Amino acid sequence: MSDARRQLLKRLSALELGIANQVIAQQPPAETEHNQVAALFRQGMAVVAFVALEDFVKRRASEALERISQCGIPFSDLPDKLKKATTYEAFSSIAFQLRIRASEEKEVYAQESAGAIFSTSNENYNLYQHSFGFDASNIGSASINKFLSAICVTSVWQNMTAMAGQLDLGLDLKSRFESSARLRHKAAHVPNANITVGELETLRKNCIAISICFDALLEAALSVFEQRDHRILSGGQALSSADVMYCKIKHVDAKWKVYPKGANRALRAFNRKPDAEQFVLQKAWGTRCCAIFYGEDRFASDWRIIG
């Protein structure tokens, strides 16, 4: 499993446990000390939750660039947006990273970064892994659009929202990302911000929905690079949510049911969740598949990439 995905799932699991903990619950006004501490915890959780999403997007982008570097595609044949982002446009990221790093790290970081950019003139290259999302303290919706666009995904936020609709994760992911960013900003910069438990739960679900759709589209794009599909790499054919294979594992009528993409009826049903997971992970789907696991509340809680 991707290290970035594994880390995000750990953080989201901890966030879910934290939201359920009575330590952060608002008590009657007379419980002054408890409420002050609880409000402080909720503010911190809002910041950490959004930072977890930002870190996931940035680290997954870095992992993707490393994998693309190993696909054996001549640099000149990569999509134009990707070539620009990993060469001269990358200097903004290098400059920002040099400003925030410790003095003893700067020389080595500058050498390694410049070496990665220079390597693109050779047959064997290593794309600069901080090309996307590392040029500022925070990422915005434009950062996600820039990265996925560079790896051949068209109409990025529209396709992410289309995926969310198919996966029962809600709609308008761009607005939800931006509202989540505003909540993080409020929690980080307004000392007396009263972040509610409900806002934290909405933030948690937004992080899950955005991460799954981002990751599924990213993996579909990586398949294009790994298969050297020049129709898409050259821009002759679009890559969209329709190209993503997925399956859903849901708790319905006291059973764990597996629903392939586009199916209204379950392919298989199991009494135990581990049995359903094992079936999905071992099944040959014919192409790379995003398996989404839903909790008993019927909202996604976990996902894996198979193949």
Side-chain angles (χ1 to χ4, degrees), residues 100-117:
I100 65 173
R101 289 175 182 268
S103 58
E104 61 270 19
E105 298 176 0
K106 292 184 177 182
E107 181 177 330
V108 172
Y109 183 82
Q111 291 170 337
E112 291 178 346
S113 302
I117 293 175

Side-chain angles (χ1 to χ4, degrees), residues 68 148 151-153 215-227 232-233 239 243-244 288:
I68 291 170
L148 289 181
I151 57 172
C152 304
V153 179
D215 206 13
L217 283 166
L218 182 155
E219 284 291 343
L222 285 177
S223 292
V224 168
F225 285 88
E226 289 165 356
Q227 296 168 11
I232 295 178
L233 292 175
L239 180 68
D243 298 298
V244 177
R288 190 166 298 166

